[in-house]
Amino acid sequence: MRPLLIAALTLAAVPATAELRLELVRESLTGMHCRYREYVDGIPSDEYVEDRQSCLSWKTQGQAGLPVLHLLRIRGRLAIREITHENSLPFAEDRDLETGTLIRRVPLFFNAKPARVFDPNPVAALNDTTLQDNNDAASAVPGSAYKLVELDNVADSGPLRGPHIALVDRQAPAIAPPDASASLFFNRNDDGFEDVNAYFHVDRTQRHLQSLGYTGSRAIAPYAVETDAHAGNLDNSLFLPSPTANGIGSLYFGTGGTDDAEDADLVVHEYGHALLEWIAPGTFSGTFNSQARAFSEGFCDYLAFSAHYAQRAASGRDPYCFADWDARCWTDAPSELCAYRPDSDCLRRLDSTRTMADYENSESAGAEHRNGTIWSSAMREIFHALGRDVTDTILIESTFGAPPLPSYAIMARRLIEADRLIYGGAHASAICAAMTSRGIVTAETCSIAPRGEWTHFQSVAGAIAIPDADPAGIVSTLTIGDTRTIENVFVRVDIAHPSRGDLRIELVAPDGTKVLLQQVSFERTRDVRVTFGVDANPVQPLSVLHGRGANGVWQLRVSDQRRRDLGTLLSWGLAFQFAGDAPLTERPRASDRQTIPVVARRHGAYDTFFASDLRITNPLSQRTIATLIFTPSGADGRTTFSAVNLTLEGGQTAGYDDVLASLFNTTGSGSLEILGRVVVMSRTYTRRGGGTVGQQVPPSTAATRRGGDGLIVGGFAEEGQRYNLGLTEVAGHEVVVRAGPYSAVVAPYSHVQFPVSSEPLLIEVVAGEGSVSAYLSQVDNTNRDAMFLEAESTGRICCVPGMAPAVDATGVSGARWRSDFWIAAAEPNGVEKLDFVDAVTGEATRTTMIVPTAVTGILEALVARTPAFGVLRTSLFTGTFHGTRIVSGNTSQFVPFVVGGNVADQHLVFIESSPAYRTNIGIVDDRPVYADVTVYDSAGRSIQHDVLLGDHGFAQVAVRVPVTNGHAVVRWRGNAGYAYASMIDNATGDATYIPGRQ
């Protein structure tokens, strides 16, 4: 043990450093939710973080059988952890880092033990309202009120604890938890009874969550919550969040009157606060009159009602009476400090008739509980309509990713979105009925899905650093030339910051009117990525801007009011509903239109959460308006769609990260049609390794009709991959599609996707008057990286020359980049010649391949040297699919073969040079190429210019200046070719290939 301690002491001698780490990762049924936290000297200060994935740890190298060590703090003392075994049972031994003294020894194994509890309490179990606490007397409750149970996974010895709860003694009176090795059969007057009762109900609540799917990486509060079942003589209980670690905390149950831990309603209620704090730390707090705090209380009351409704229904007890045992202490002696009036029956009820008209704005304690009954009673109505499991799942899921201090209306709409994603919106009517009856939302606003009545404007300002602890902060402006009158306005804000509660955010209208959007709070969640007025509640109402003109200079003022961390304003914008704007009754049409076949904000297979970002550039010198139309997968897009208008200044590039959330306020997947003379590109990705891995998804360029030329696509066949075929209808008519052995019905303007093999697929429309584009998504099952392969037409002219950039070299990060090549054909059709032209020497190498074929490391096979980079050239045969990909580490980007000779200017978006990304711009052709390359920032200002000359058909340049939401234009001199960009994630090394667009 001593040599290990010396090694740890060496680590401890490093000078103190502070850094932010991604510690809090929450994965729910519908998405990934991340939080960050400050570490000092690489060590978290909370003593329970060793059970979390982000706990700092070292593993001994090269010596089999040595234990795994963890450096941690135990009540301020640095300690080293060693895993030992006794009789084959594991223990954790924590020793002082400096002296080696044993601080504690914790068993890491658990057993089931019989115990006696109330379920949920004597009044409800026996339906006997005459029972009284009677000064905590055992004789006050008959034996039939108890229930014999087994406590699962109880520690073998020491204070009672398990994987979800650890009984402790933190507050007076000093009552130690019962010994887990002893009998757990207690009467209610025994001190150990409350500990056992709390253990059982916390543990059972956690197991209910697991039955809903919240297990593994999606588990909620997967730690043993410290619980003091005898905490003070007051008739009150509470959950206290940890002051040092996001998402965790402790439970404290009062002993005044009826001991609170005897009533399962109160146990589950307080544990509900622990669940909310873990899901979204600090989000559901605020003042006593805040709707966020009232939601928290209503959520917890409902959770207890849901947990115990079946028991109450079985006994005949009033099912809507909350905490009916705790209320029965008014005959106790004064020394018992009962807080209830004589003849009290319930602490609160879940069949309240209160509506938002009864909402109390009092700042006094207790208002949050009374206001909470509005929410809990609405949830009770939904419970009766949908059942426990469905209602609980929708409610819990709605809390993931909630914005700062949300209003009731925002949470109601989040219920709708959760139901849409998990159950396809099957329960929207029941949810809206309950919420509208309480005045929480109106029928029109229950689910906000814009239908063309919103116009978005995005500021052209790039990423702006927010100075730390500077009340003056920063000011970003947005000039709007639209003179129409405002009906409604919403504010989209995207800020990266470790603790969003540090920020004050204010909007200033052109006439000087100020609206406070967010004030400083103790909310510790990372980032502000919300639309105020839609999914976040502004401090001051935006309705004050109603009736004013939109034109003029708008300001967003952001200041960081606390020290120690820095943030960045990434982007912001305004969405207006102008006076007279009404939702569209028919889908809008235009001559200039393009379709991105799929965008997403949803889970895929293997629990992979995908999201889509959008970049849109106005290539014109004057202002333009583009209309974006989202059609959910499987819906009839003629009637079911969302539409928004985007106003873009000349040369402006707007970026919408997570476009379904930021523009359409929705989730799921579907197609995205764009009307207007604009350049668009999307990227769909998942987060991995502190960055992203993903694929470019360009607008479709090939489609097929019934009786016309088909489409063909095929993947690069290899182990550990999955393949999905996507079909998108682009002409507005339902079609039946056959793709090899598969068939599908595709609704107008809609999208479907289903798993297939890697084999080449011939895609044809066999019924209907519509037109379909197709793609193959090839996903790595290990790292979830995806490639988007657009299907090619089988009717192109035979044997036209095609080209693609290729490489086999070591990059700036030390990773090897290599090109793979494949040809897919529905039927074998002879041989094909493939040339490689070296970009440096001009040397050409040719090989002949049998069709179909696939080659890993094509340049190594052709030229057998490194480094090598240049152009692959081949003849594109009819009825074949040609593909290349460039692989770096375990990530890849698909690079299509293209036809050169394009004389028009080519536009490239997703041009980024920042801490997160770097970008290269290249040109290729089968002849010498010569072009001007100009990089523009988001406002359309030129920031970098290069002249590229590729004597052998290839040239490439890096984007050297900082830029976010940039775009580039390639203008040809002499011979024209094909332009591309490659945007590389600096954290993962994954590259996204961006094809040039006219």
Side-chain angles (χ1 to χ4, degrees):
M1 189 67 190
R2 182 54 69 183
L4 298 174
L5 288 172
I6 293 174
L9 283 168
T10 303
L11 291 169
V14 176
T17 59
E19 61 178 331
L20 292 171
R21 294 186 183 177
L22 176 61
E23 181 197 53
L24 206 66
V25 178
R26 300 294 184 259
E27 187 175 359
S28 72
L29 300 182
T30 59
M32 188 71 73
H33 314 268
C34 302
R35 299 288 185 269
Y36 291 73
R37 190 176 135 205
E38 185 180 64
Y39 278 57
V40 179
D41 289 336
I43 305 169
S45 59
D46 184 84
E47 61 182 315
Y48 291 102
V49 294
E50 70 270 18
D51 291 329
R52 307 173 78 84
Q53 292 181 346
S54 53
C55 182
L56 187 64
S57 65
W58 290 267
K59 290 189 177 181
T60 56
Q61 302 293 323
Q63 300 182 63
L66 289 179
V68 177
L69 299 178
H70 296 265
L71 194 64
L72 64 154
R73 292 182 186 272
I74 302 175
R75 300 183 184 90
R77 298 170 63 183
L78 283 179
I80 202 82
R81 166 161 287 192
E82 180 184 15
I83 307 303
T84 63
H85 290 81
E86 180 179 306
N87 298 323
S88 300
L89 297 176
F91 290 82
E93 291 188 351
D94 300 326
R95 296 181 180 273
D96 187 280
L97 184 64
E98 296 184 358
T99 66
T101 304
L102 182 66
I103 299 174
R104 65 182 180 188
R105 188 169 186 261
V106 181
L108 300 180
F109 53 91
F110 301 91
N111 302 304
K113 294 204 65 174
R116 196 159 71 149
V117 300
F118 290 152
D119 187 21
N121 62 54
V123 172
L126 302 179
N127 190 17
D128 186 349
T129 58
T130 67
L131 297 176
Q132 285 283 326
D133 175 60
N134 195 20
N135 304 312
D136 199 29
S139 59
V141 174
S144 57
Y146 294 91
K147 181 178 181 180
L148 299 182
V149 298
E150 280 198 345
L151 303 189
D152 290 330
N153 295 333
V154 175
D156 189 66
S157 62
L160 180 62
R161 65 185 295 268
H164 309 128
I165 180 172
L167 279 303
V168 296
D169 181 22
R170 290 283 182 267
Q171 291 186 358
I175 299 176
D179 191 326
S181 64
S183 170
L184 300 181
F185 285 89
F186 297 105
N187 291 321
R188 63 179 298 258
N189 64 322
D190 297 324
D191 290 333
F193 179 78
E194 289 76 20
D195 298 88
V196 171
N197 204 56
Y199 184 107
F200 174 75
H201 290 289
V202 167
D203 186 76
R204 187 167 67 175
T205 302
Q206 179 60 229
R207 293 179 190 282
H208 171 62
L209 297 177
Q210 294 171 9
S211 74
L212 300 180
Y214 294 100
T215 61
S217 62
R218 297 175 177 177
I220 301 174
Y223 70 99
V225 59
E226 280 195 343
T227 301
D228 189 339
H230 306 89
N233 291 323
L234 294 178
D235 196 359
N236 187 38
S237 297
L238 49 89
F239 168 77
L240 284 182
S242 167
T244 59
N246 272 357
I248 66 175
S250 304
L251 298 175
Y252 298 86
F253 293 99
T255 59
T258 305
D259 291 351
D260 285 1
E262 288 188 15
D263 195 323
D265 282 350
L266 292 176
V267 174
V268 175
H269 174 100
E270 297 303 337
Y271 189 54
H273 289 301
L275 301 177
L276 285 177
E277 180 66 14
W278 193 91
I279 291 170
T283 297
F284 300 99
S285 56
T287 58
F288 289 123
N289 67 350
S290 73
Q291 291 186 33
R293 195 177 193 95
F295 170 87
S296 177
E297 298 300 339
F299 173 98
C300 295
D301 279 3
Y302 165 77
L303 195 67
F305 159 79
S306 169
H308 305 134
Y309 176 80
Q311 296 94 310
R312 294 176 185 275
S315 72
R317 172 61 182 154
D318 179 353
Y320 310 128
C321 182
F322 172 80
D324 42 1
W325 177 231
D326 186 60
R328 282 171 166 74
C329 59
W330 29 270
T331 62
D332 283 2
S335 60
E336 292 294 310
L337 300 176
C338 176
Y340 290 88
R341 295 188 302 271
D343 297 321
S344 294
D345 188 38
C346 314
L347 176 53
R348 287 181 293 278
R349 296 195 61 84
L350 280 94
D351 57 355
S352 169
T353 59
R354 290 167 63 92
T355 70
M356 293 303 290
D358 304 305
Y359 194 92
E360 298 180 30
N361 285 310
S362 169
E363 284 287 358
S364 62
E368 73 276 25
H369 293 289
R370 293 187 293 273
N371 291 333
T373 63
I374 301 173
W375 184 267
S376 63
S377 296
M379 291 307 305
R380 182 260 308 167
E381 294 178 19
I382 299 172
F383 173 94
H384 283 308
L386 309 183
R388 183 188 184 193
D389 287 357
V390 172
T391 306
D392 288 5
T393 301
I394 292 172
L395 176 61
I396 291 165
E397 194 61 33
S398 72
T399 63
F400 280 90
L405 305 178
S407 66
Y408 273 6
I410 287 169
M411 293 311 299
R413 292 195 292 269
R414 292 185 67 83
L415 290 177
I416 293 290
E417 288 305 315
D419 175 61
R420 188 202 308 273
L421 190 56
I422 301 173
Y423 300 109
H427 312 109
S429 59
I431 297 170
C432 280
M435 294 297 158
T436 55
S437 69
R438 303 281 166 176
I440 293 172
V441 293
T442 64
E444 293 76 17
T445 62
C446 187
S447 177
I448 292 183
R451 293 271 296 197
E453 71 276 28
W454 289 9
T455 302
H456 287 253
F457 301 79
Q458 188 172 96
S459 172
V460 297
I464 304 175
I466 303 169
D468 189 29
D470 182 356
I474 60 171
V475 177
S476 179
T477 61
L478 171 57
T479 301
I480 294 178
D482 199 310
T483 61
R484 288 180 288 174
T485 301
I486 299 170
E487 181 71 22
N488 292 300
V489 62
F490 312 98
V491 188
R492 177 68 188 180
V493 177
D494 191 345
I495 297 175
H497 194 281
S499 181
R500 64 190 183 193
D502 293 359
L503 301 176
R504 185 182 191 275
I505 307 173
E506 184 180 57
L507 178 71
V508 183
D511 64 0
T513 302
K514 298 178 181 179
V515 179
L516 183 61
L517 302 177
Q518 177 179 305
Q519 61 188 351
V520 177
S521 70
F522 291 104
E523 223 228 319
R524 297 169 290 171
T525 307
R526 183 177 178 85
D527 300 337
V528 180
R529 291 180 175 170
V530 297
T531 301
F532 289 99
V534 177
D535 58 3
N537 207 33
V539 176
Q540 296 175 332
L542 288 162
S543 58
V544 69
L545 301 171
H546 173 80
R548 302 171 190 262
N551 61 307
V553 179
W554 295 75
Q555 298 179 18
L556 188 76
R557 298 177 178 178
V558 183
S559 61
D560 185 334
Q561 304 283 318
R562 295 194 180 101
R563 294 190 180 279
R564 293 192 306 175
D565 44 31
L566 298 173
T568 303
L569 173 63
L570 300 175
S571 66
W572 74 281
L574 300 174
F576 293 100
Q577 181 184 3
F578 292 112
D581 283 352
L584 294 168
T585 57
E586 296 181 356
R587 188 184 184 100
R589 312 307 306 134
S591 56
D592 286 323
R593 63 191 185 94
Q594 49 195 314
T595 299
I596 293 175
V598 60
V599 289
R601 188 176 193 268
R602 61 166 302 163
H603 265 96
Y606 293 85
D607 293 334
T608 306
F609 184 75
F610 288 105
S612 298
D613 293 347
L614 180 76
R615 299 293 181 268
I616 181 166
T617 296
N618 176 11
L620 308 175
S621 59
Q622 68 271 18
R623 181 184 300 133
T624 192
I625 296 178
T627 300
L628 274 60
I629 310 169
F630 171 68
T631 303
S633 295
D636 185 337
R638 294 171 299 186
T639 56
T640 303
F641 62 88
S642 294
V644 296
N645 301 308
L646 304 184
T647 298
L648 300 167
E649 299 299 323
Q652 180 184 358
T653 297
Y656 294 97
D657 291 347
D658 198 355
V659 63
L660 290 190
S662 59
L663 279 184
F664 297 100
N665 315 305
T666 191
T667 52
S669 66
S671 64
L672 183 63
E673 187 179 33
I674 302 96
L675 309 182
R677 179 69 177 90
V678 291
V679 179
V680 297
M681 186 66 62
S682 75
R683 176 175 183 258
T684 296
Y685 58 91
T686 188
R687 296 197 175 275
R688 284 291 180 272
T692 63
V693 293
Q695 58 185 340
Q696 78 284 0
V697 183
S700 301
T701 58
T704 181
R705 291 179 175 273
R706 184 177 57 169
D709 297 318
L711 303 173
I712 188 169
V713 68
F716 190 91
E718 58 186 335
E719 294 293 328
Q721 307 283 302
R722 64 182 186 272
Y723 306 84
N724 295 309
L725 181 68
L727 304 170
T728 303
E729 205 285 320
V730 296
H733 300 278
E734 182 177 279
V735 292
V736 179
V737 179
R738 181 172 58 224
Y742 311 97
S743 63
V745 177
V746 189
Y749 299 113
S750 193
H751 161 265
V752 297
Q753 181 177 283
F754 49 89
V756 297
S757 70
S758 64
E759 296 298 319
L761 293 173
L762 179 63
I763 300 155
E764 300 173 299
V765 174
V766 296
E769 300 306 314
S771 183
V772 169
S773 66
Y775 67 89
L776 188 72
S777 179
Q778 178 173 337
V779 188
D780 187 302
N781 290 332
T782 301
N783 68 356
R784 314 301 194 251
D785 187 24
M787 292 194 307
F788 176 89
L789 288 64
E790 184 180 3
E792 299 176 359
S793 173
T794 61
R796 65 170 170 237
I797 299 173
C798 180
C799 313
V800 297
M803 66 215 67
V807 65
D808 196 324
T810 300
V812 295
S813 62
R816 181 196 172 196
W817 296 79
R818 75 159 199 272
S819 290
D820 299 337
F821 166 79
W822 71 100
I823 308 171
E827 297 181 3
N829 56 358
V831 297
E832 185 165 329
K833 296 181 178 66
L834 179 69
D835 295 330
F836 170 68
V837 179
D838 191 289
V840 177
T841 67
E843 178 183 354
T845 305
R846 170 167 289 186
T847 188
T848 301
M849 296 184 172
I850 299 174
V851 178
T853 191
V855 181
T856 298
I858 186 66
L859 297 195
E860 184 178 30
L862 287 176
V863 300
R865 70 171 184 272
T866 298
F869 54 91
V871 183
L872 287 173
R873 301 189 308 198
T874 189
S875 295
L876 303 178
F877 288 174
T878 300
T880 58
F881 178 86
H882 299 71
T884 69
R885 66 176 183 179
I886 296 178
V887 178
S888 172
N890 60 355
T891 68
S892 58
Q893 60 177 329
F894 176 68
V895 180
F897 275 91
V898 296
V899 178
N902 193 336
V903 297
D905 294 347
Q906 293 190 21
H907 296 263
L908 300 162
V909 297
F910 277 102
I911 303 301
E912 182 134 354
S913 177
S914 67
Y917 297 99
R918 63 186 187 275
T919 304
N920 296 316
I921 298 172
I923 55 175
V924 295
D925 198 48
D926 57 354
R927 305 164 295 174
V929 282
Y930 187 22
D932 290 301
V933 178
T934 306
V935 177
Y936 300 89
D937 65 11
S938 60
R941 296 180 291 256
S942 173
I943 57 175
Q944 178 178 319
H945 180 265
D946 296 276
V947 177
L948 292 184
L949 175 61
D951 290 333
H952 307 297
F954 175 89
Q956 184 170 282
V957 66
V959 176
R960 302 179 300 277
V961 295
V963 62
T964 300
N965 293 343
H967 83 282
V969 179
V970 176
R971 300 177 175 91
W972 304 104
R973 295 186 181 186
N975 291 337
Y978 184 80
Y980 69 89
S982 180
M983 185 183 74
I984 305 162
D985 188 296
N986 290 326
T988 64
D990 183 50
T992 299
Y993 180 85
I994 309 297
R997 308 285 297 178
Q998 293 184 16

